[in-house]
């Protein structure tokens, strides 16, 4: 019996070491969970000295209790491995949509690891004080990790909400889709093929397709459209190039040929007129002092070249389907020349921002607004050439159109994370808030969007709140155009992730316009309104204001007949309200919420199912209250 325990103990320790080694080999964690995954891997590696020390000890002294505790640790580690493997190979879109559920799984893993480590008989195993202290450090880190909340996934969820909304006129906006594709790292052919395979595997694991899977497929299709990939996804067959629509002819499509050389393009770029050329060919044309578009003859407004990634992906895909090998060229061979010339143009434009000639200054602002929208490199070049301080100064210029162009240029520049910090450091936020209050309709909308973009950084959330930016956003939410309402809602959602800003928003009167958005179906902003209410309902003052019977009736109606996302948010809000006020739970029952909730537990989104089950459990308790 003793020899069997020794053998079993040695085997378990060996398996534990292998699990940690396997976990350490994962290197493709999805961006939405990457930070949490890397932290967990780092903590699990702290167990290696413990296992090495146990392995070197005299196993004959190990009791059945000691073996059992190691077996429990093995189960906890296998749970961690399964989660980390999913975050390494799983669908990126699914992991982003279900970020809250995934975080719950992380917390469950932390609990199991803590319990397993607590049960280990360290003295019996002869574990040294130093190693025991290291394990205790790991356990403290796991407990802290459970308390921490990261806002990044919530911000990503807001972007996805806009894309998924059928009523939102921006749901096909290529800029939003490109931003999402970049956040999820789904913008190359290889990324999108791997995502397609991951979704197929997800469907198999789930036993078929449902509404959530359909949403994922719809978004994947939009990403492919933005990338210029013409691919039909068949979840019934293997994911391979055979699922692509076959070309009727192997003749190279004319749009793949450079208009100058008539050769297939390897590095297509777009000029100011919107025409596409091979980078090397158009550079030679421009370097020969031509300032016109070769194909149209039009004078070029600027000389910057934007990479045509969508067309490049189409060309690569066509070549793969037709076994055509592209000429071996360095796609960015002339990028240094391009950068030097563009830098010269940007440097001149930045200087013109301070010109005493109004027309020159206005033209410079308009061109910088346009250049900052085109591509990431331009945003960096403009910032590196000192464009941000000059633009921030022009925010106060007494001309509404100048203000409008300037705040929009800063909005475009703020897409770059470093620029977010630079813009805030230059003192732009108070002036942007002033334009939000007094600018033109477009300037107010773009100011709201700029505050949303800047407040992606937690320190800027605080600045916007401290500079009284919440009230004008609430005013825009109440009185703006539809686009203005949407921009204000997005900014307010993001800002309300900060605790102090929640109270500011409630004091600023955000609840009435949110309730109006729920009632006015034509605005198509139910998701936005419910998402913000869900953030605010944790505050007692918000619960007091929205906990009216008419609101409960509205929630029940949404739970009964809303979209899957509507239902998910409405159930979450009702659960939070009912958990703090049983009379509201009973009111929801009287309005007929029970059957719709039962339906959601079967057919709702994953998160909605969890919330609906919790609400039903709470209701069963409330019904027994005398």
């Amino acid at each position: 019996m003793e020899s069997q325990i020794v053998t079993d103990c040695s085997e378990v320790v060996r398996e534990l070491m292998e699990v940690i080694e396997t976990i350490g080999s994962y290197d493709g964690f999805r961006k939405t969970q990457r930070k949490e995954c890397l932290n967990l891997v780092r903590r699990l590696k702290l167990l290696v000295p413990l296992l090495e020390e146990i392995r070197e000890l005299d196993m004959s002294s190990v009791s059945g209790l000691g073996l059992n505790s190691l077996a429990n640790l093995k189960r906890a580690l296998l749970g961690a491995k399964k989660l980390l493997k999913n975050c390494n190979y799983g669908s990126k879109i699914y992991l982003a949509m279900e970020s809250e559920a995934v975080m719950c799984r992380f917390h469950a893993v932390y609990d199991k690891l803590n319990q397993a480590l607590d049960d280990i008989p360290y003295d019996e195993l002869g574990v040294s004080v130093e190693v025991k202290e290291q394990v205790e450090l790991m356990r403290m880190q796991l407990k802290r990790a459970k308390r921490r909340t990261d806002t990044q996934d919530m911000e990503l969820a807001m972007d996805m909400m806009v894309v998924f909304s059928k009523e939102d006129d921006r749901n096909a906006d290529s800029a939003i889709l490109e931003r999402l594709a970049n956040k999820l790292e789904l913008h190359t052919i290889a990324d999108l093929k791997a995502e397609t395979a991951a979704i197929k595997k997800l469907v198999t694991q789930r036993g078929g397709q449902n509404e959530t899977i359909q949403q994922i497929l719809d978004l994947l299709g939009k990403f492919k459209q933005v990338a210029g990939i013409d691919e039909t996804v068949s979840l019934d067959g293997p994911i391979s190039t055979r699922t692509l629509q076959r070309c009727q002819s192997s003749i190279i499509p004319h749009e793949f040929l450079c208009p100058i050389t008539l050769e297939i393009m390897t590095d297509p770029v777009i000029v100011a007129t919107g025409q596409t050329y091979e980078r090397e060919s158009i550079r030679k044309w421009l370097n020969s002092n031509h300032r016109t578009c070769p194909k149209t003859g039009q004078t070029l407004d600027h000389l910057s070249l934007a990479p045509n990634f969508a067309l490049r992906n189409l060309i690569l895909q066509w070549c793969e389907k037709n076994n055509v090998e592209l000429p071996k060229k360095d796609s960015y061979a002339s990028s240094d020349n391009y950068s030097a010339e563009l830098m010269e143009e940007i440097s001149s434009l930045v200087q013109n921002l301070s010109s005493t000639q109004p027309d020159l200054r206005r033209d410079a602002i308009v061109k910088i607004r346009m250049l900052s929208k085109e591509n990431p490199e331009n945003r960096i070049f403009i910032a590196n050439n000192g464009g941000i301080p000059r633009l921030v100064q022009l925010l106060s210029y007494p001309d509404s159109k100048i203000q409008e162009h300037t705040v929009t240029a800063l909005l475009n520049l703020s897409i770059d994370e470093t620029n977010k910090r630079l813009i805030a450091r230059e003192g732009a936020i108070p002036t942007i808030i002033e334009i939000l209050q007094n600018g033109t309709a477009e300037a107010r909308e773009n100011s709201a969007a700029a505050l949303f973009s800047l407040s992606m950084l937690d320190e800027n959330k605080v600045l916007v709140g401290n500079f009284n930016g919440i009230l004008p956003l609430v005013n825009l939410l109440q009185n703006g155009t539809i686009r203005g309402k949407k921009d204000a809602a997005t900014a307010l959602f993001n800002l309300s992730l900060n605790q102090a800003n929640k109270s500011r928003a409630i004091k600023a009167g955000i609840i009435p316009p949110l309730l109006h958005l729920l009632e006015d179906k034509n605005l198509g902003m139910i998701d936005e309104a419910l998402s913000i209410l869900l953030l605010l309902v944790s505050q007692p003052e918000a619960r007091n204001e929205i906990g009216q019977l008419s609101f409960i009736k509205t929630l029940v109606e949404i739970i009964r007949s809303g979209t899957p996302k509507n239902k998910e948010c409405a159930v979450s809000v009702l659960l939070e309200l009912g958990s703090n006020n049983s009379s509201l739970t009973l009111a929801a029952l009287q309005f007929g919420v029970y059957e719709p909730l039962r339906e959601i537990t079967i057919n709702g989104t994953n998160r909605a199912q969890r919330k609906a089950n919790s609400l039903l459990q709470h209701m069963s308790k409330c019904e027994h209250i005398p």
Side-chain angles (χ1 to χ4, degrees):
M1 180 67 176
E2 181 180 297
S3 62
Q4 183 61 44
I5 290 177
V6 170
T7 303
D8 291 347
C9 192
S10 299
E11 180 65 16
V12 171
V13 170
R14 183 188 65 76
E15 290 173 347
L16 287 169
M17 297 284 281
E18 287 180 355
V19 171
I20 293 176
E21 184 179 355
T22 301
I23 286 171
S25 70
Y26 295 149
D27 59 0
F29 295 123
R30 302 330 192 193
K31 194 171 182 180
T32 43
Q33 284 82 26
R34 187 171 297 158
K35 183 178 178 182
E36 204 71 32
C37 289
L38 292 173
N39 284 338
L40 179 54
V41 171
R42 177 174 51 78
R43 292 177 186 122
L44 292 177
K45 287 179 178 179
L46 292 176
L47 294 177
V48 172
L50 170 68
L51 298 174
E52 287 177 340
E53 200 163 273
I54 294 174
R55 186 174 58 185
E56 293 166 4
L57 293 172
D58 179 8
M59 295 292 185
S60 62
S61 62
V62 179
S63 66
L65 179 64
L67 176 60
N68 189 54
S69 67
L70 290 176
N72 288 338
L73 180 58
K74 177 185 170 183
R75 281 191 286 273
L77 276 176
L78 287 174
K81 177 187 172 184
K82 183 178 180 181
L83 175 58
L84 291 168
K85 183 178 180 181
N86 189 34
C87 292
N88 193 75
Y89 297 110
S91 161
K92 295 177 179 180
I93 300 174
Y94 177 80
L95 287 168
M97 286 180 69
E98 295 294 321
S99 57
E100 183 180 323
V102 176
M103 187 53 66
C104 289
R105 289 181 61 191
F106 272 101
H107 289 174
V109 165
Y110 298 156
D111 286 337
K112 288 179 182 176
L113 284 168
N114 255 320
Q115 185 60 51
L117 292 170
D118 189 44
D119 292 341
I120 291 177
Y122 296 96
D123 294 337
E124 176 189 309
L125 295 172
V127 176
S128 66
V129 174
E130 292 81 4
V131 170
K132 190 174 179 181
E133 286 177 349
Q134 191 169 354
V135 173
E136 193 56 36
L137 171 64
M138 174 194 169
R139 294 186 62 201
M140 288 174 58
Q141 291 176 346
L142 291 174
K143 288 175 181 175
R144 279 202 301 269
K146 276 201 69 173
R147 292 196 299 268
R148 190 186 65 248
T149 55
D150 195 334
T151 63
Q152 184 59 43
D153 288 346
M154 296 180 76
E155 293 164 346
L156 181 63
M158 195 65 182
D159 284 341
M160 293 180 75
M161 182 194 304
V162 173
V163 173
F164 284 136
S165 172
K166 290 182 173 60
E167 294 83 11
D168 195 315
D169 61 356
R170 293 175 294 178
N171 66 352
D173 189 320
S174 62
I176 293 177
L177 289 169
E178 284 175 13
R179 184 175 69 205
L180 262 180
N182 285 328
K183 282 184 180 181
L184 297 179
E185 297 174 339
L186 286 171
H187 42 72
T188 68
I189 291 176
D191 290 335
L192 293 165
K193 281 188 176 180
E195 178 67 9
T196 304
I199 294 170
K200 182 189 175 187
K201 188 172 182 180
L202 180 66
V203 172
T204 303
Q205 291 170 345
R206 297 290 165 127
Q209 200 166 328
N210 56 27
E211 282 184 302
T212 299
I213 298 295
Q214 189 57 53
Q215 283 186 310
I216 292 172
L217 287 171
D218 289 344
L219 183 53
L220 178 63
K222 290 176 182 178
F223 286 158
K224 289 182 177 181
Q225 288 173 4
V226 169
I229 297 173
D230 177 23
E231 183 176 16
T232 52
V233 181
S234 171
L235 295 178
D236 300 325
I239 302 298
S240 71
T241 55
R242 283 191 293 274
T243 64
L244 302 176
Q245 297 292 344
R246 287 287 177 186
C247 288
Q248 296 301 312
S249 168
S250 61
I251 299 173
I252 300 173
H254 69 88
E255 61 267 22
F256 294 174
L257 303 176
C258 174
I260 297 174
T261 64
L262 298 181
E263 295 178 355
I264 192 168
M265 290 181 278
T266 60
D267 185 16
V269 293
I270 304 169
V271 299
T273 58
Q275 298 296 324
T276 296
Y277 300 90
E278 175 67 23
R279 184 189 293 276
E280 186 178 348
S281 303
I282 193 64
R283 285 259 48 90
K284 288 179 181 178
W285 170 266
L286 297 174
N287 288 340
S288 301
N289 291 321
H290 292 102
R291 293 296 179 266
T292 57
C293 172
K295 192 170 183 180
T296 67
Q298 292 174 267
T299 301
L300 297 171
D301 291 335
H302 58 83
L303 303 181
S304 60
L305 305 175
N308 192 336
F309 293 119
L311 182 59
R312 177 172 168 76
N313 281 336
L314 276 174
I315 292 172
L316 290 174
Q317 192 178 39
W318 182 88
C319 288
E320 182 181 357
K321 284 190 283 185
N322 292 277
N323 295 318
V324 174
E325 188 172 346
L326 279 174
K328 298 293 183 184
K329 291 182 182 179
D330 182 355
S331 298
Y332 300 97
S334 58
S335 61
D336 290 340
N337 293 333
Y338 154 69
S339 298
E341 187 167 339
L342 181 60
M343 286 284 282
E344 184 179 342
E345 182 191 4
I346 286 176
S347 178
S348 175
L349 289 172
V350 170
Q351 293 300 320
N352 289 344
L353 290 175
S354 302
S355 173
T356 56
Q357 301 178 42
D359 290 344
L360 200 59
R361 183 174 55 233
R362 184 187 296 270
D363 288 345
I365 297 170
V366 172
K367 286 180 179 177
I368 284 179
R369 172 182 176 173
M370 179 174 57
L371 285 170
S372 62
K373 185 179 181 179
E374 286 180 355
N375 59 57
E377 291 83 4
N378 289 356
R379 296 174 199 123
I380 295 169
F381 290 164
I382 292 167
N384 289 347
N385 276 269
I388 288 176
R390 286 180 168 87
L391 286 168
V392 172
Q393 290 174 0
L394 286 169
L395 284 173
S396 303
Y397 195 80
D399 181 313
S400 59
K401 292 305 290 183
I402 292 286
Q403 288 182 353
E404 183 181 304
H405 289 309
T406 304
V407 78
T408 308
L410 287 170
L411 164 61
N412 296 336
L413 289 169
S414 71
I415 295 171
D416 181 86
E417 188 156 336
T418 301
N419 288 349
K420 286 177 170 59
R421 290 189 170 85
L422 290 174
I423 292 168
R425 197 178 303 151
E426 289 297 325
I429 287 177
T431 319
I432 291 174
I433 292 171
E434 194 174 315
I435 295 172
L436 174 63
Q437 291 174 305
N438 305 310
T440 64
E442 185 177 345
R444 293 180 69 204
E445 292 163 5
N446 289 343
S447 294
L451 291 178
F452 165 69
S453 179
L454 292 171
S455 64
M456 288 287 192
L457 301 181
D458 286 341
E459 61 263 34
N460 289 347
K461 289 183 178 70
V462 175
L463 286 176
V464 174
N466 288 343
F467 284 118
N468 301 318
I470 304 295
L471 180 58
L473 283 170
V474 171
N475 289 337
L476 184 62
L477 181 69
Q478 187 158 24
N479 304 311
T481 62
I482 292 179
R483 172 59 66 86
K485 290 177 187 292
K486 291 179 184 291
D487 287 325
T490 309
L492 285 164
F493 172 88
N494 203 44
L495 288 163
S496 295
L497 297 170
N498 174 274
Q499 190 66 25
N501 285 341
K502 290 181 184 179
S503 297
R504 291 188 178 107
I506 295 164
K507 289 177 183 175
I510 192 174
I511 302 298
L514 289 176
L515 297 182
H516 175 68
L517 293 179
L518 291 182
E519 294 164 4
D520 191 342
K521 304 288 193 299
N522 294 327
L523 291 173
M525 291 182 63
I526 292 175
D527 283 342
E528 288 91 334
L530 286 172
S531 296
I532 298 171
L533 285 168
L534 184 55
L535 287 178
L536 300 179
V537 77
S538 61
Q539 306 296 105
E541 60 267 42
R543 291 197 297 272
N544 292 337
E545 194 169 347
I546 66 177
Q548 308 161 5
L549 291 182
S550 59
F551 176 64
I552 301 301
K553 187 175 182 180
T554 300
L555 281 182
V556 172
E557 187 56 38
I558 293 170
I559 291 170
R560 181 181 293 114
S561 58
T563 66
K565 183 67 178 178
N566 288 166
K567 294 177 180 179
E568 177 184 308
C569 289
V571 171
S572 300
V573 173
L574 184 56
L575 176 60
E576 183 69 28
L577 284 172
S579 298
N580 289 277
N581 188 337
S582 297
S583 64
L584 297 179
T585 305
L586 295 172
L589 282 168
Q590 290 174 353
F591 286 126
V593 78
Y594 185 81
E595 286 304 324
L597 279 179
R598 293 287 300 169
E599 174 67 21
I600 289 172
T601 62
I602 301 169
N603 297 317
T605 64
N606 288 350
R607 184 168 180 262
Q609 287 178 13
R610 292 195 310 275
K611 298 291 184 181
N613 277 316
S614 297
L615 187 51
L616 285 169
Q617 289 174 11
H618 176 68
M619 286 177 169
S620 67
K621 297 174 185 176
C622 290
E623 286 181 311
H624 295 98
I625 296 175

